[in-house]
Amino acid sequence: MVMTTTPTERAEAAIAATMRAAVFHAPGDIRVEEVARPRPGPGEAVIRVTLTTICGTDVHILKGEYPVKPGLIVGHEPVGVIDELGAGVVGYEVGDRVLVGAITPCGQCHACLSGKLSQCGHGSGYEAIGGWRFGNTINGAQAEYLLVPNAQANLAPIPEALTDEQVVLLADIASTGFSGAESGRVRIGDTVVVFAQGPIGLCATAGARLMGAAHVIGVDGDLSRAAMAKRMGADIVLDPTRVDVVEEVRRLTDGVGADVAIEALGIQETFENALRCVRPGGVVSSLGVFSGKLQLPYEAFAAGLGDHTIVTTLCPGGKERMGRLMRLVETGRFDPTPLITHRFALDQIGEAYDLFSNRRDGVLKVAIRP
Ligand SMILES: [Zn+2]
Ligand SMILES: [Zn+2]
Protein backbone atom coordinates (compact mmCIF):
# COMPACT_ATOMS: atom_id res chain seq x y z
CA MET A 1 0.00 0.00 0.00
CA VAL A 2 1.30 3.46 -0.93
CA MET A 3 0.96 6.31 1.53
CA THR A 4 0.08 9.57 -0.14
CA THR A 5 0.90 12.92 1.42
CA THR A 6 -0.60 16.30 0.65
CA PRO A 7 1.67 19.31 -0.07
CA THR A 8 0.72 20.71 3.36
CA GLU A 9 1.77 17.50 5.07
CA ARG A 10 5.06 17.52 3.18
CA ALA A 11 5.69 21.15 4.18
CA GLU A 12 4.89 20.24 7.81
CA ALA A 13 7.35 17.37 7.70
CA ALA A 14 10.05 19.67 6.31
CA ILE A 15 9.88 21.87 9.43
CA ALA A 16 12.44 20.56 11.87
CA ALA A 17 11.00 19.48 15.19
CA THR A 18 13.89 20.84 17.25
CA MET A 19 16.24 23.83 17.37
CA ARG A 20 19.28 25.11 19.27
CA ALA A 21 18.63 27.55 22.12
CA ALA A 22 20.29 29.06 25.20
CA VAL A 23 18.39 27.62 28.17
CA PHE A 24 18.51 28.75 31.80
CA HIS A 25 18.84 25.78 34.16
CA ALA A 26 20.04 27.27 37.44
CA PRO A 27 22.07 30.28 38.60
CA GLY A 28 25.40 30.14 36.77
CA ASP A 29 24.05 27.62 34.28
CA ILE A 30 22.80 28.84 30.92
CA ARG A 31 23.69 26.42 28.12
CA VAL A 32 22.92 25.86 24.48
CA GLU A 33 20.94 22.72 23.81
CA GLU A 34 18.44 21.08 21.48
CA VAL A 35 14.84 21.96 22.39
CA ALA A 36 11.44 21.76 20.73
CA ARG A 37 10.94 24.26 17.94
CA PRO A 38 7.90 26.47 18.56
CA ARG A 39 4.83 26.47 16.29
CA PRO A 40 2.49 29.46 16.10
CA GLY A 41 -1.08 29.43 17.36
CA PRO A 42 -3.74 31.96 16.30
CA GLY A 43 -2.40 35.52 16.40
CA GLU A 44 1.17 34.32 16.83
CA ALA A 45 4.17 34.05 14.54
CA VAL A 46 7.42 32.13 14.55
CA ILE A 47 10.50 33.93 13.34
CA ARG A 48 13.87 32.44 12.44
CA VAL A 49 16.21 34.54 14.56
CA THR A 50 19.05 35.99 12.47
CA LEU A 51 20.60 38.21 15.14
CA THR A 52 20.19 38.84 18.85
CA THR A 53 22.25 40.10 21.77
CA ILE A 54 22.79 39.74 25.51
CA CYS A 55 21.34 42.32 27.90
CA GLY A 56 22.40 43.26 31.42
CA THR A 57 19.10 41.74 32.56
CA ASP A 58 20.15 38.37 31.11
CA VAL A 59 23.27 38.58 33.27
CA HIS A 60 21.04 39.14 36.33
CA ILE A 61 19.14 35.99 35.29
CA LEU A 62 22.39 34.04 34.84
CA LYS A 63 23.58 35.09 38.29
CA GLY A 64 20.27 34.18 39.88
CA GLU A 65 19.56 37.82 40.83
CA TYR A 66 16.40 37.88 38.73
CA PRO A 67 14.47 34.64 39.08
CA VAL A 68 13.05 32.84 36.05
CA LYS A 69 11.80 29.26 35.66
CA PRO A 70 14.43 26.61 34.92
CA GLY A 71 14.06 25.46 31.32
CA LEU A 72 13.33 28.97 30.03
CA ILE A 73 15.06 30.16 26.85
CA VAL A 74 16.61 33.55 27.63
CA GLY A 75 17.02 36.72 25.56
CA HIS A 76 14.68 39.51 24.53
CA GLU A 77 16.22 41.30 21.53
CA PRO A 78 15.15 39.53 18.33
CA VAL A 79 15.84 40.30 14.69
CA GLY A 80 14.67 37.65 12.25
CA VAL A 81 12.73 36.41 9.27
CA ILE A 82 9.10 35.32 9.50
CA ASP A 83 9.07 31.54 9.27
CA GLU A 84 5.43 30.74 10.06
CA LEU A 85 2.36 32.86 10.61
CA GLY A 86 -0.50 31.78 12.84
CA ALA A 87 -4.12 32.26 11.86
CA GLY A 88 -5.35 35.84 11.86
CA VAL A 89 -2.01 37.61 11.44
CA VAL A 90 -2.49 39.76 8.35
CA GLY A 91 -0.30 42.02 6.22
CA TYR A 92 2.85 39.89 6.55
CA GLU A 93 4.44 37.21 4.41
CA VAL A 94 6.69 34.31 5.31
CA GLY A 95 10.21 35.53 4.54
CA ASP A 96 9.66 39.14 5.68
CA ARG A 97 12.52 40.53 7.77
CA VAL A 98 11.26 41.84 11.10
CA LEU A 99 12.44 43.46 14.29
CA VAL A 100 10.53 42.66 17.49
CA GLY A 101 10.79 44.86 20.57
CA ALA A 102 11.94 43.47 23.90
CA ILE A 103 8.54 44.38 25.30
CA THR A 104 5.62 42.81 23.43
CA PRO A 105 2.38 44.66 24.19
CA CYS A 106 -0.85 42.90 23.29
CA GLY A 107 -2.45 46.11 22.07
CA GLN A 108 -5.77 45.21 23.64
CA CYS A 109 -5.59 45.18 27.44
CA HIS A 110 -6.36 47.94 29.91
CA ALA A 111 -2.71 49.08 30.08
CA CYS A 112 -2.26 49.06 26.29
CA LEU A 113 -5.48 50.92 25.62
CA SER A 114 -4.55 53.46 28.31
CA GLY A 115 -1.35 54.18 26.41
CA LYS A 116 0.99 52.32 28.79
CA LEU A 117 2.14 49.63 26.38
CA SER A 118 5.18 48.60 28.42
CA GLN A 119 2.95 47.75 31.36
CA CYS A 120 0.78 45.46 29.24
CA GLY A 121 -0.46 42.81 31.60
CA HIS A 122 -3.28 41.08 29.82
CA GLY A 123 -5.70 42.83 32.11
CA SER A 124 -4.20 41.81 35.43
CA GLY A 125 -3.23 45.42 35.92
CA TYR A 126 -0.92 45.79 38.86
CA GLU A 127 2.25 43.90 38.04
CA ALA A 128 5.03 46.15 36.73
CA ILE A 129 7.08 44.93 33.72
CA GLY A 130 4.02 42.98 32.63
CA GLY A 131 4.89 43.68 29.00
CA TRP A 132 8.33 42.06 29.27
CA ARG A 133 7.69 38.45 28.33
CA PHE A 134 10.59 37.18 26.14
CA GLY A 135 13.15 35.40 28.28
CA ASN A 136 11.12 36.30 31.35
CA THR A 137 7.72 34.63 31.35
CA ILE A 138 7.89 33.01 27.89
CA ASN A 139 10.74 31.60 25.80
CA GLY A 140 13.17 34.19 24.49
CA ALA A 141 15.34 35.15 21.55
CA GLN A 142 18.69 33.44 22.15
CA ALA A 143 17.54 30.59 19.92
CA GLU A 144 17.20 29.61 16.29
CA TYR A 145 13.43 30.22 16.36
CA LEU A 146 11.20 32.43 18.46
CA LEU A 147 7.46 32.39 19.04
CA VAL A 148 6.17 35.98 18.90
CA PRO A 149 2.93 36.58 20.85
CA ASN A 150 0.42 39.15 19.61
CA ALA A 151 2.30 39.15 16.33
CA GLN A 152 0.04 41.74 14.73
CA ALA A 153 1.16 44.33 17.28
CA ASN A 154 4.79 43.31 17.43
CA LEU A 155 6.29 42.39 14.05
CA ALA A 156 8.00 45.51 12.69
CA PRO A 157 9.13 45.15 9.05
CA ILE A 158 12.78 46.10 8.58
CA PRO A 159 13.45 48.54 5.72
CA GLU A 160 15.53 46.92 2.99
CA ALA A 161 18.35 49.43 3.42
CA LEU A 162 19.01 48.42 7.03
CA THR A 163 21.20 45.51 8.16
CA ASP A 164 20.47 43.29 11.17
CA GLU A 165 23.30 44.94 13.11
CA GLN A 166 21.80 48.37 12.49
CA VAL A 167 18.50 47.38 14.13
CA VAL A 168 19.20 44.77 16.81
CA LEU A 169 19.98 47.32 19.54
CA LEU A 170 16.73 49.17 18.90
CA ALA A 171 14.73 46.30 20.46
CA ASP A 172 15.80 47.24 23.97
CA ILE A 173 18.69 49.56 24.79
CA ALA A 174 17.97 52.30 22.26
CA SER A 175 14.25 52.24 23.00
CA THR A 176 14.97 52.35 26.73
CA GLY A 177 17.72 54.96 26.53
CA PHE A 178 15.73 57.27 24.28
CA SER A 179 12.70 56.89 26.55
CA GLY A 180 14.84 58.28 29.38
CA ALA A 181 15.14 61.52 27.44
CA GLU A 182 11.52 61.44 26.26
CA SER A 183 10.04 60.76 29.72
CA GLY A 184 12.43 63.39 31.09
CA ARG A 185 10.69 65.83 28.70
CA VAL A 186 13.99 67.20 27.41
CA ARG A 187 13.39 70.49 25.63
CA ILE A 188 15.39 72.31 22.97
CA GLY A 189 18.26 74.10 24.65
CA ASP A 190 18.25 72.02 27.86
CA THR A 191 21.26 70.90 29.84
CA VAL A 192 20.99 67.15 30.48
CA VAL A 193 23.18 65.02 32.74
CA VAL A 194 23.30 61.29 32.04
CA PHE A 195 24.56 59.12 34.89
CA ALA A 196 26.44 56.02 33.70
CA GLN A 197 27.48 55.46 30.11
CA GLY A 198 26.80 51.76 29.76
CA PRO A 199 24.80 50.67 26.70
CA ILE A 200 21.54 52.22 27.96
CA GLY A 201 23.18 55.39 29.26
CA LEU A 202 24.92 55.83 25.91
CA CYS A 203 21.56 55.63 24.16
CA ALA A 204 20.11 58.08 26.70
CA THR A 205 22.95 60.44 25.78
CA ALA A 206 22.11 60.06 22.09
CA GLY A 207 18.42 60.48 22.95
CA ALA A 208 19.03 63.73 24.85
CA ARG A 209 20.87 65.08 21.85
CA LEU A 210 18.06 63.98 19.51
CA MET A 211 15.49 65.69 21.75
CA GLY A 212 17.32 68.97 21.33
CA ALA A 213 19.52 69.32 24.41
CA ALA A 214 22.07 72.10 24.02
CA HIS A 215 24.47 70.57 26.49
CA VAL A 216 24.81 66.91 27.39
CA ILE A 217 27.01 65.99 30.34
CA GLY A 218 27.89 62.31 30.65
CA VAL A 219 29.04 60.72 33.91
CA ASP A 220 31.26 57.63 33.85
CA GLY A 221 34.70 56.72 35.13
CA ASP A 222 35.51 54.24 32.36
CA LEU A 223 37.72 55.79 29.69
CA SER A 224 36.43 53.79 26.72
CA ARG A 225 32.83 54.45 27.75
CA ALA A 226 33.62 58.15 28.12
CA ALA A 227 35.03 58.16 24.58
CA MET A 228 31.92 56.40 23.26
CA ALA A 229 29.71 58.88 25.15
CA LYS A 230 31.29 61.71 23.19
CA ARG A 231 30.67 59.79 19.98
CA MET A 232 27.00 59.41 21.01
CA GLY A 233 26.61 63.14 21.65
CA ALA A 234 28.01 64.05 25.08
CA ASP A 235 29.83 67.39 25.17
CA ILE A 236 31.77 66.48 28.25
CA VAL A 237 32.10 63.36 30.40
CA LEU A 238 32.75 63.65 34.13
CA ASP A 239 34.69 60.96 35.98
CA PRO A 240 32.94 60.51 39.35
CA THR A 241 36.11 59.03 40.85
CA ARG A 242 37.99 62.27 40.13
CA VAL A 243 35.51 65.11 40.45
CA ASP A 244 32.51 65.97 42.59
CA VAL A 245 29.87 65.54 39.92
CA VAL A 246 27.22 67.65 41.66
CA GLU A 247 29.65 70.54 42.14
CA GLU A 248 30.89 70.25 38.58
CA VAL A 249 27.37 70.28 37.09
CA ARG A 250 26.57 73.33 39.21
CA ARG A 251 29.70 75.05 37.91
CA LEU A 252 28.96 74.11 34.30
CA THR A 253 25.43 75.53 34.59
CA ASP A 254 26.41 78.81 36.28
CA GLY A 255 25.02 77.60 39.58
CA VAL A 256 21.57 76.81 38.19
CA GLY A 257 21.65 73.02 37.88
CA ALA A 258 20.67 70.76 35.02
CA ASP A 259 17.19 70.79 33.51
CA VAL A 260 17.05 67.01 33.33
CA ALA A 261 19.12 64.25 34.90
CA ILE A 262 18.85 60.72 33.52
CA GLU A 263 19.86 57.88 35.82
CA ALA A 264 20.97 54.74 33.98
CA LEU A 265 22.63 52.61 36.63
CA GLY A 266 20.17 51.87 39.43
CA ILE A 267 22.13 52.57 42.60
CA GLN A 268 21.57 54.96 45.51
CA GLU A 269 24.59 57.14 44.74
CA THR A 270 23.72 57.94 41.14
CA PHE A 271 20.01 58.37 41.87
CA GLU A 272 20.78 60.77 44.69
CA ASN A 273 23.34 62.67 42.63
CA ALA A 274 20.85 62.93 39.78
CA LEU A 275 18.43 64.59 42.17
CA ARG A 276 21.13 66.91 43.52
CA CYS A 277 22.14 67.93 39.99
CA VAL A 278 18.78 69.16 38.74
CA ARG A 279 17.52 72.69 39.18
CA PRO A 280 14.30 73.43 41.07
CA GLY A 281 11.53 72.35 38.72
CA GLY A 282 13.88 69.92 37.01
CA VAL A 283 13.24 66.30 36.09
CA VAL A 284 14.98 63.14 37.25
CA SER A 285 14.33 60.43 34.69
CA SER A 286 15.18 57.05 36.12
CA LEU A 287 16.05 54.10 33.90
CA GLY A 288 18.05 52.08 36.43
CA VAL A 289 16.76 48.87 37.93
CA PHE A 290 17.01 49.20 41.71
CA SER A 291 17.15 46.64 44.46
CA GLY A 292 16.85 47.02 48.22
CA LYS A 293 15.85 50.39 49.61
CA LEU A 294 16.21 53.70 47.84
CA GLN A 295 16.58 56.70 50.14
CA LEU A 296 15.69 60.29 49.50
CA PRO A 297 17.68 62.65 51.77
CA TYR A 298 15.49 65.71 52.37
CA GLU A 299 18.07 68.22 51.14
CA ALA A 300 18.57 66.32 47.87
CA PHE A 301 15.02 67.13 46.83
CA ALA A 302 14.65 70.44 48.58
CA ALA A 303 12.57 68.91 51.38
CA GLY A 304 9.85 68.23 48.83
CA LEU A 305 9.47 71.91 47.89
CA GLY A 306 11.54 71.99 44.69
CA ASP A 307 8.84 71.19 42.13
CA HIS A 308 10.97 68.26 41.07
CA THR A 309 9.56 65.55 38.87
CA ILE A 310 10.79 61.99 39.21
CA VAL A 311 9.77 59.66 36.40
CA THR A 312 10.54 56.02 35.64
CA THR A 313 10.22 54.26 32.31
CA LEU A 314 10.30 50.69 31.12
CA CYS A 315 11.48 50.05 27.56
CA PRO A 316 8.69 50.99 25.12
CA GLY A 317 7.94 48.13 22.71
CA GLY A 318 5.51 47.29 19.91
CA LYS A 319 5.89 47.62 16.16
CA GLU A 320 5.07 51.33 15.98
CA ARG A 321 7.89 52.15 18.40
CA MET A 322 10.30 49.88 16.52
CA GLY A 323 9.30 51.51 13.22
CA ARG A 324 10.03 54.98 14.62
CA LEU A 325 13.47 53.93 15.83
CA MET A 326 14.32 52.27 12.52
CA ARG A 327 13.40 55.48 10.67
CA LEU A 328 15.96 57.33 12.82
CA VAL A 329 18.64 54.89 11.75
CA GLU A 330 17.52 54.88 8.13
CA THR A 331 17.74 58.66 7.91
CA GLY A 332 21.15 58.72 9.57
CA ARG A 333 20.00 60.54 12.71
CA PHE A 334 21.25 57.73 14.93
CA ASP A 335 23.83 55.01 14.39
CA PRO A 336 23.81 52.24 17.00
CA THR A 337 26.44 50.07 15.30
CA PRO A 338 29.51 51.41 17.18
CA LEU A 339 27.96 49.90 20.33
CA ILE A 340 28.36 46.37 18.96
CA THR A 341 31.91 45.54 19.95
CA HIS A 342 31.98 41.73 19.74
CA ARG A 343 30.36 38.98 17.65
CA PHE A 344 29.61 35.33 18.48
CA ALA A 345 27.73 32.32 17.11
CA LEU A 346 24.88 30.98 19.28
CA ASP A 347 26.94 27.93 20.22
CA GLN A 348 29.64 30.26 21.66
CA ILE A 349 27.13 32.13 23.81
CA GLY A 350 28.76 30.90 27.05
CA GLU A 351 31.92 32.75 26.03
CA ALA A 352 29.83 35.80 25.15
CA TYR A 353 28.12 35.79 28.58
CA ASP A 354 31.49 35.51 30.26
CA LEU A 355 32.96 38.45 28.33
CA PHE A 356 29.85 40.61 28.69
CA SER A 357 29.18 39.96 32.38
CA ASN A 358 32.80 40.64 33.32
CA ARG A 359 32.98 43.71 31.06
CA ARG A 360 36.25 42.48 29.58
CA ASP A 361 38.00 43.80 26.49
CA GLY A 362 36.01 47.07 26.33
CA VAL A 363 32.79 45.19 25.56
CA LEU A 364 29.61 47.23 25.16
CA LYS A 365 27.22 44.91 23.32
CA VAL A 366 27.73 41.53 21.71
CA ALA A 367 25.99 40.34 18.55
CA ILE A 368 24.84 36.70 18.66
CA ARG A 369 24.13 34.96 15.37
CA PRO A 370 22.07 31.75 15.64
ZN1 LIG B 1 17.26 44.17 28.17
ZN1 LIG C 1 -1.71 44.81 26.59
Side-chain angles (χ1 to χ4, degrees):
M1 191 174 131
V2 179
M3 296 287 286
T4 52
T5 54
T6 65
T8 319
E9 282 165 351
R10 282 194 294 276
E12 289 278 318
I15 294 171
T18 61
M19 64 170 185
R20 307 283 290 163
V23 178
F24 171 86
H25 286 280
D29 184 6
I30 288 178
R31 60 189 124 107
V32 177
E33 59 192 29
E34 205 75 20
V35 299
R37 176 201 185 288
R39 302 297 302 274
E44 300 174 335
V46 167
I47 64 170
R48 179 171 56 81
V49 180
T50 52
L51 199 67
T52 185
T53 179
I54 298 175
C55 177
T57 316
D58 302 328
V59 174
H60 289 303
I61 290 172
L62 173 65
K63 291 182 176 169
E65 294 160 356
Y66 183 89
V68 297
K69 269 201 224 117
L72 184 83
I73 300 170
V74 283
H76 51 260
E77 291 143 298
V79 181
V81 175
I82 296 176
D83 200 66
E84 271 192 281
L85 288 166
V89 185
V90 296
Y92 297 95
E93 300 281 348
V94 167
D96 286 352
R97 293 174 65 224
V98 288
L99 169 66
V100 184
I103 303 289
T104 47
C106 73
Q108 301 172 43
C109 71
H110 178 268
C112 284
L113 295 175
S114 307
K116 286 286 169 212
L117 298 165
S118 307
Q119 302 299 334
C120 170
H122 287 300
S124 65
Y126 296 102
E127 193 192 352
I129 66 171
W132 173 36
R133 299 195 179 88
F134 287 141
N136 179 23
T137 55
I138 63 172
N139 280 333
Q142 290 166 17
E144 288 179 303
Y145 294 90
L146 172 72
L147 180 73
V148 180
N150 305 109
Q152 196 69 45
N154 288 293
L155 299 173
I158 301 172
E160 211 165 309
L162 296 180
T163 64
D164 289 358
E165 289 205 358
Q166 282 178 296
V167 300
V168 67
L169 302 186
L170 306 178
D172 185 0
I173 63 160
S175 190
T176 304
F178 289 176
S179 75
E182 294 168 291
S183 301
R185 290 180 256 143
V186 173
R187 299 172 63 204
I188 289 173
D190 271 355
T191 293
V192 180
V193 189
V194 184
F195 283 88
Q197 297 293 314
I200 288 174
L202 287 164
C203 291
T205 295
R209 184 49 78 87
L210 284 165
M211 294 284 289
H215 199 197
V216 181
I217 303 167
V219 181
D220 205 297
D222 181 300
L223 281 180
S224 66
R225 291 183 176 209
M228 188 60 78
K230 286 190 177 160
R231 204 163 157 188
M232 289 290 137
D235 299 282
I236 181 172
V237 182
L238 305 177
D239 178 349
T241 65
R242 303 176 70 121
V243 298
D244 180 331
V245 172
V246 178
E247 274 307 308
E248 200 54 22
V249 169
R250 199 161 291 156
R251 193 183 66 77
L252 289 164
T253 54
D254 297 324
V256 175
D259 299 290
V260 180
I262 301 172
E263 201 285 343
L265 192 60
I267 62 171
Q268 174 72 34
E269 183 191 338
T270 46
F271 182 83
E272 198 176 313
N273 279 349
L275 207 46
R276 291 181 195 277
C277 276
V278 295
R279 61 169 168 78
V283 182
V284 171
S285 178
S286 167
L287 294 175
V289 180
F290 295 87
S291 54
K293 228 180 233 173
L294 188 60
Q295 290 183 326
L296 215 57
Y298 80 95
E299 79 282 4
F301 80 131
L305 303 172
D307 284 337
H308 293 122
T309 303
I310 300 173
V311 288
T312 68
T313 326
L314 177 64
C315 175
K319 68 180 177 186
E320 160 63 13
R321 174 71 170 180
M322 292 303 114
R324 281 173 179 272
L325 300 186
M326 286 192 282
R327 286 198 286 282
L328 277 179
V329 178
E330 202 179 7
T331 53
R333 298 283 196 281
F334 173 61
D335 178 11
T337 55
L339 302 179
I340 299 176
T341 51
H342 296 74
R343 290 161 184 84
F344 295 89
L346 180 63
D347 279 318
Q348 305 168 299
I349 204 164
E351 226 177 289
Y353 266 101
D354 187 51
L355 176 93
F356 184 72
S357 58
N358 293 300
R359 276 179 60 172
R360 277 204 312 271
D361 196 20
V363 64
L364 282 169
K365 289 294 276 186
V366 296
I368 307 290
R369 205 169 282 280

